[in-house]
Amino acid sequence: MSGAFEPIPAARPVIGEREIEAAVRVLRSGMVVQGPEVAAFEEEFSEVVGGRHCVAVNSGTSALYLCLLGLGVGPGDEVVVPSFSFAATANAVRLVGAEPVFADIEADSFCLDPAAVAAAVTARTVAILPVHLYGHPAAMDQIMPIAQRHGLAVVEDACQAHAAALHGRPVGTFGDAGCFSFYPTKNMHSLEGGMVATGDADLARRLRLLRNQGMEQRYANEIVGANVRLTDVAAAIGREQLRQLPQWTRQRRAHAKFFDATLTAVATPPVADGVSHVYHQYTVRVDGDRDAVAQELRERGVGTGVYYPTPIHRLRPFRDSPGVRGELPETERAARQVLSLPVFPSLTQAELERIAVAVNAVRVAA
Ligand SMILES: *Cc1c(COP(=O)(O)O)cnc(C)c1O
């Protein structure tokens, strides 16, 4: 196949020379576990979240799980979550022994519908866990007042939304804590990795204990903890990626702008007022046979993704649970219709045009 016709993947994670050199530098130093690189990564990432305390861990899921543990969420408690998300969002709630209660999403943002959140609150509710899905911030300006009215904690799942903002305020800074993932396909990565951002110094200290066997000083264990530390090798890669994040975010936005102006056969993603979207995914709605459209695009050399074909409340571990209360019509509709197009930073103008031509030429789209 000639280069021009190589298939375009749905995502293209970057492991460039800078990342490789950073990893080799740390490996050669012989000091590979959590150390100075992790500390520097935390300090540098703090700039993305308005100077909040940052605690690095080994994944986004660990970040969510540790946060809920650190906030004292546990058995008997309910946490309001969207069902239209990656399973990690609800897994974290179950892992601490609490019950995820599923609320519906808004049609436009694909994020939690504040009215549905308010309706889901019971006497057992202790927290709300909004997800900034695809890089679009959830309606935090409406969700925070609900939390305040009921005295609930808020943990933001910002795993797809590094540096997204709402009315100029970065995601991860609205609630008690914000959780980020550095999985390879995310807007930036550290191979695997995660970060908690919080304005609460006590919570930050508890998280530091929880990630390291309950110790700050070696063998002076204060509480029961796990080992969810990030390595210095991963942190060095994360630091290199963080330096490139502003440029990559600009590129994702430019690609999205091109698609907004060019795509005619599908519904492009609306952006709410005051929203600074970071386009982890560029997700359109197909009002027809979505899977046939994906197949047709694949044949035309355009990779796509469906995030997520099955809402969490219909996955086996959750479907018969007490947190499934009534219908989630917008969640179901999104699961049937969504299709994410390639939007990764290194797409070329020729690739963007090929994607647009292919999408606009799709026959099965209604
Ligand atoms: C990726 C992701 C997670 C989990 O992050 P990992 O680093 O893969 O553990 C959690 N929530 C959402 C919405 C995600 O996209």
Side-chain angles (χ1 to χ4, degrees):
M1 252 190 206
S2 86
F5 295 99
E6 260 170 46
I8 303 168
R12 193 186 276 156
V14 175
I15 302 176
E17 284 311 311
R18 305 179 189 206
E19 284 82 356
I20 291 166
E21 278 168 25
V24 168
R25 171 171 55 76
V26 176
L27 287 167
R28 288 202 196 286
S29 80
M31 312 259 288
V32 295
V33 299
Q34 180 185 294
E37 292 288 333
V38 167
F41 187 30
E42 290 174 339
E43 202 170 302
E44 289 161 11
F45 195 81
S46 170
E47 286 169 35
V48 175
V49 283
R52 291 196 152 197
H53 308 280
C54 284
V55 181
V57 291
N58 61 0
S59 75
T61 308
S62 297
L64 290 166
Y65 169 65
L66 234 60
C67 241
L68 294 171
L69 270 185
L71 289 165
V73 178
D77 294 337
E78 292 179 359
V79 178
V80 179
V81 303
S83 173
F84 194 60
S85 181
F86 184 48
T89 308
N91 279 341
V93 176
R94 266 294 176 73
L95 282 169
V96 301
E99 200 54 48
V101 173
F102 299 99
D104 210 357
I105 53 168
E106 300 175 316
D108 282 356
S109 70
F110 297 106
C111 297
L112 270 180
D113 176 353
V117 171
V121 172
T122 72
R124 288 174 177 259
T125 310
V126 299
I128 306 172
L129 210 174
V131 179
H132 306 300
L133 201 73
Y134 303 148
H136 187 299
M140 299 310 295
D141 46 351
Q142 295 170 66
I143 291 172
M144 289 311 297
I146 299 168
Q148 275 142 16
R149 198 153 63 241
H150 297 279
L152 309 175
V154 174
V155 174
E156 296 170 64
D157 181 338
C159 288
Q160 302 188 358
H162 318 72
L166 183 59
H167 301 299
R169 183 167 172 175
V171 300
T173 68
F174 291 87
D176 296 85
C179 298
F180 295 83
S181 165
F182 305 126
Y183 184 75
T185 57
K186 305 293 162 111
N187 289 26
M188 59 169 285
H189 76 82
S190 64
L191 307 179
E192 296 264 16
M195 190 77 79
V196 182
T198 178
D200 177 344
D202 292 336
L203 177 61
R205 171 139 207 284
R206 276 199 302 288
L207 295 172
R208 289 180 198 286
L209 292 174
L210 285 168
R211 79 171 164 189
N212 185 33
Q213 314 289 1
M215 304 184 295
E216 194 167 42
Q217 310 282 350
R218 189 178 291 202
Y219 306 134
N221 304 59
E222 300 176 39
I223 60 173
V224 170
N227 172 3
V228 292
R229 297 182 302 255
L230 190 69
T231 67
D232 257 20
V233 180
I237 291 170
R239 293 178 69 194
E240 289 302 329
Q241 293 256 318
L242 182 57
R243 285 187 194 110
Q244 298 164 85
L245 182 67
Q247 164 73 4
W248 287 340
T249 301
R250 279 195 294 277
Q251 288 169 312
R252 285 178 181 273
R253 286 187 178 136
H255 299 342
K257 201 169 161 193
F258 173 81
F259 288 144
D260 285 345
T262 317
L263 300 183
T264 50
V266 293
T268 58
V271 178
D273 264 359
V275 161
S276 188
H277 198 323
V278 295
Y279 293 101
H280 169 60
Q281 299 294 346
Y282 185 89
T283 302
V284 300
R285 285 183 188 262
V286 178
D287 188 12
D289 188 342
R290 184 259 326 272
D291 297 335
V293 170
Q295 175 59 31
E296 199 174 324
L297 289 173
R298 196 172 314 123
E299 284 159 13
R300 292 172 190 267
V302 175
T304 58
V306 174
Y307 315 105
Y308 297 89
T310 307
I312 302 174
H313 77 282
R314 288 203 276 108
L315 296 174
R316 186 187 298 273
F318 301 101
R319 66 188 172 207
D320 298 319
S321 75
V324 183
R325 298 175 188 159
E327 303 294 300
L328 302 172
E330 287 301 338
T331 297
E332 300 289 357
R333 194 167 71 90
R336 275 195 312 276
Q337 296 184 332
V338 292
L339 188 65
S340 297
L341 306 178
V343 73
F344 52 84
S346 63
L347 281 170
T348 63
Q349 188 59 31
E351 287 176 319
L352 286 166
E353 279 162 24
R354 264 179 62 206
I355 295 165
V357 166
V359 173
N360 285 338
V362 157
R363 274 163 290 136
V364 284

